[in-house]
Amino acid sequence: MGANGDELLEVVRRELEAILKGGRRITERDLLRLSAQTGVDYSTVVRVQHGLS
């Protein structure tokens, strides 16, 4: 991934952190939504989530 890819991963990470900070559980629907919104592969979004856990 280039610079744009790194920025997208950062967006995904921030969104997931915001969900956790809000006291909610991250659902599969959240992961799918982020993947669709950012264009980042679902498997990569899941890996980012696992990195936060």
Side-chain angles (χ1 to χ4, degrees):
M1 275 188 193
N4 190 35
D6 291 341
E7 292 171 13
L8 291 174
L9 287 177
E10 184 62 25
V11 169
V12 169
R13 189 183 65 74
R14 282 196 313 263
E15 288 285 330
L16 292 173
E17 285 178 337
I19 291 169
L20 291 173
K21 193 174 187 178
R24 290 188 25 229
R25 236 184 77 207
I26 296 172
T27 64
E28 185 174 3
R29 184 176 183 168
D30 293 323
L31 300 175
L32 289 167
R33 178 182 54 79
L34 281 171
S35 176
Q37 285 179 340
T38 61
V40 175
D41 289 338
Y42 176 77
S43 60
T44 303
V45 174
V46 171
R47 271 189 272 144
V48 172
Q49 178 209 11
H50 285 269
L52 295 174
S53 301

